[in-house]
Amino acid sequence: MRDLMYEHVCTVLVGVATLFRFIGYDISTFIVESVVHSAHIRDPNAIINHAGYYGQAVKEISSVLSTFFVPIVLNYMKAKWALVIGTGAFAFYVGSFFWINNYLYFIANIALGIAFTLNYTAFSTYQMQFSTRKTLARNSGRVWSISCVSLLFGGSLYIYVTSTRPQSIDDKSGNETSGIEQYRYYSQEETRTLCSFLFASCIISTVMHAFFPDRKVEHSVSIDNPHERLTLKQQVGAIASVLVNPYILMFIPRFLNYGLFFAFYMNVYPTSFQYSTILATKYPMLTAYYAFAMCAGTTICGLIIAPLNRRFHDFGLRPLYYIAIGVQLLTYIIAILTVPNWSTAHPTTESAWLEPNVVWVCVAAFLLGFADSANTASNTVICSRLIPGRASHTYSAARFYISVASSIIFFCSPMLTMRAHAIILCSTTIFSALSFNLAVKQVEKREENTKNEKKSV
């Protein structure tokens, strides 16, 4: 099989396998705060209040700590087997919702944090095997466009479960009341039915990863920038040195900004319309519509990236990131105007400056999906070029700073309003945009010097 055809086949395989994994993860994360709050209402002793946010924070802390040892896994196994292990941990996390309690839930979040770092590193490493520097941004964009169709499948499952299951509070006293009158309540039966489908999708993804091909294309990024084999002691030292590497430090504002953005679109914003009486009452299927709109935004962005990447040199660096910046800022403005201020922290009957409705949510979701696809492709391009010979360490370092930002915002979320979130996000986004151009110039200058040195030799 020719390299070009092989690239296309691998792109589709990776995209579909990631699709099935994210069916389980995305939908469960969108609703986790409300699901766990519902479990807390049924039995306050089983799970603490706001465990949805705190669990996500624990996951991010676990991801931060795992960056020090996860890359060494690639010394002893191929990237695809690391993906198998990581995806299996995703299945364990989704399975924990069958029996929601403090111990199992937080242990599952610790495992998920490790899985995130493992998958983030292994996914990027595997993608470098079938991509050249010229095609990396294109392939990354296509993979994420395919994988984010998971939102379409996940949203459809959500509609099916929501339309066939009663929404009543089955608390331990045996009383039943209509929880939807106050917020989006999830019964135990409804939770388990939904998680059955999500768990099955993670298992399918795990099996698919096991059958990924191993071949590398000619002039692949992994050949030009091979993985460096280190011992555990060297690994910890290498990660520590990479974390303070000048080129990594220059991009910290960019990584921190993405961590805050990730927490916002995956959990904070979806929770706001789970907790809003206006939205929960009028639009019980709103989470599904949110998923559909995000899917549209992600897919369209991926389709746009490919031709623009061919037309413009290094489109995956400045142009792509500044597009993402502009879309993010627009989304935050919409959120401030259309989301009840306290709906990010607890159930509320308040309104917003503009009447909350399904149209605004879908517009914001489309923009968030578009910005996420652009950010993901941009991250892949940036990390592949920061530190020659240590791409996997660079991805782990990026994940470290992304997770630090996410964990902090998740711990604080029970106390933050939508306006507070938006102010934080807008400030960090603008600062990231200002610092990004300077950082990219330094990388380009180093690459040019290296190229000239090779020519002189």
Side-chain angles (χ1 to χ4, degrees):
M1 186 184 295
R2 292 182 304 167
D3 281 352
L4 181 59
M5 179 59 68
Y6 181 73
E7 280 194 51
H8 293 326
V9 170
C10 286
T11 298
V12 172
L13 285 175
V14 173
V16 173
T18 308
L19 180 156
F20 278 102
R21 182 174 78 240
F22 281 170
I23 288 175
Y25 175 71
D26 286 346
I27 294 298
S28 63
T29 304
F30 289 163
I31 64 177
V32 63
E33 171 63 16
S34 189
V35 166
V36 175
H37 183 74
S38 300
H40 174 75
I41 293 296
R42 289 194 296 270
D43 184 2
N45 295 321
I47 192 81
I48 62 174
N49 197 21
H50 292 303
Y53 280 139
Y54 295 143
Q56 292 295 301
V58 168
K59 178 207 72 176
E60 296 299 335
I61 291 174
S62 173
S63 184
V64 166
L65 297 177
S66 65
T67 57
F68 287 97
F69 64 83
V70 159
I72 199 173
V73 172
L74 298 180
N75 290 351
Y76 304 101
M77 65 176 66
K78 296 176 180 179
K80 74 173 187 179
W81 295 115
L83 286 168
V84 169
I85 295 173
T87 306
F90 273 77
F92 172 61
Y93 168 76
V94 173
S96 70
F97 287 92
F98 286 109
W99 302 278
I100 299 177
N101 62 75
N102 284 318
Y103 300 105
L104 181 60
Y105 174 72
F106 284 104
I107 290 173
N109 274 281
I110 292 173
L112 183 63
I114 297 173
F116 243 100
T117 302
L118 184 60
N119 277 33
Y120 189 87
T121 304
F123 169 81
S124 300
T125 302
Y126 184 76
Q127 192 171 231
M128 289 164 59
Q129 293 178 196
F130 65 84
S131 301
T132 64
R133 176 175 291 188
K134 184 178 180 180
T135 63
L136 185 59
R138 181 201 69 189
N139 291 343
S140 179
R142 288 178 176 175
V143 165
W144 285 103
S145 293
I146 295 170
S147 66
C148 287
V149 177
S150 64
L151 295 166
L152 185 63
F153 288 99
S156 299
L157 285 174
Y158 186 88
I159 289 176
Y160 168 74
V161 173
T162 299
S163 62
T164 58
R165 301 294 171 183
Q167 299 163 354
S168 59
I169 295 183
D170 45 347
D171 62 22
K172 295 184 74 175
S173 64
N175 297 321
E176 294 195 2
T177 58
S178 179
I180 198 66
E181 291 176 1
Q182 296 180 342
Y183 71 102
R184 180 59 173 90
Y185 173 81
Y186 294 87
S187 69
Q188 187 175 66
E189 182 184 9
E190 185 181 14
T191 301
R192 289 180 175 177
T193 301
L194 181 59
C195 287
S196 296
F197 289 108
L198 303 183
F199 180 79
S201 70
C202 286
I203 296 300
I204 293 173
S205 177
T206 302
V207 174
M208 286 192 65
H209 280 98
F211 289 94
F212 278 1
D214 297 315
R215 176 183 145 200
K216 298 179 181 179
V217 301
E218 187 178 3
H219 302 304
S220 70
V221 180
S222 63
I223 293 176
D224 296 337
N225 191 11
H227 173 70
E228 187 176 7
R229 296 177 65 89
L230 302 174
T231 65
L232 179 60
K233 182 178 179 180
Q234 291 173 327
Q235 172 65 38
V236 174
I239 288 294
S241 66
V242 168
L243 289 174
V244 296
N245 182 283
Y247 288 99
I248 294 292
L249 294 178
M250 287 189 295
F251 284 93
I252 283 181
R254 191 259 182 278
F255 297 141
L256 294 179
N257 176 249
Y258 183 72
L260 298 175
F261 172 72
F262 173 83
F264 181 78
Y265 82 81
M266 284 300 296
N267 198 269
V268 174
Y269 187 65
T271 295
S272 71
F273 49 80
Q274 301 275 320
Y275 276 164
S276 169
T277 299
I278 296 173
L279 293 173
T281 303
K282 290 184 178 180
Y283 313 106
M285 308 294 185
L286 192 52
T287 296
Y289 304 152
Y290 178 79
F292 295 155
M294 272 203 72
C295 175
T298 302
T299 303
I300 289 175
C301 181
L303 294 175
I304 290 174
I305 287 175
L308 290 178
N309 188 61
R310 290 193 300 267
R311 184 178 180 86
F312 300 103
H313 176 67
D314 272 345
F315 178 77
L317 282 178
R318 291 185 185 84
L320 188 58
Y321 184 55
Y322 284 123
I323 289 172
I325 288 291
V327 174
Q328 284 178 230
L329 291 173
L330 177 59
T331 307
Y332 304 148
I333 294 172
I334 292 174
I336 291 175
L337 296 175
T338 64
V339 174
N341 199 32
W342 277 107
S343 62
T344 56
H346 55 71
T348 179
T349 59
E350 67 179 344
S351 185
W353 283 329
L354 298 178
E355 180 70 16
N357 61 61
V358 66
V359 174
W360 285 119
V361 171
C362 288
V363 169
F366 178 89
L367 295 174
L368 288 170
F370 192 99
D372 180 51
S373 182
N375 270 305
T376 301
S378 176
N379 269 347
T380 301
V381 174
I382 291 168
C383 291
S384 69
R385 297 172 63 169
L386 284 186
I387 306 178
R390 291 190 175 181
S392 64
H393 299 92
T394 304
Y395 288 115
S396 292
R399 187 66 209 169
F400 177 94
Y401 290 112
I402 290 170
S403 296
V404 166
S406 296
S407 63
I408 292 173
I409 206 67
F410 278 132
F411 271 124
C412 296
S413 286
M415 300 172 285
L416 295 178
T417 64
M418 175 55 75
R419 290 167 200 163
H421 279 289
I423 291 172
I424 293 171
L425 287 161
C426 287
S427 300
T428 56
T429 300
I430 293 171
F431 181 71
S432 174
L434 294 174
S435 65
F436 184 78
N437 185 55
L438 297 176
V440 171
K441 282 183 178 179
Q442 294 302 313
V443 173
E444 291 175 333
K445 182 179 179 181
R446 184 198 62 191
E447 290 178 342
E448 184 65 28
N449 290 338
T450 302
K451 185 178 179 180
N452 291 336
E453 289 175 3
K454 288 182 178 180
K455 285 183 178 180
S456 63
V457 174

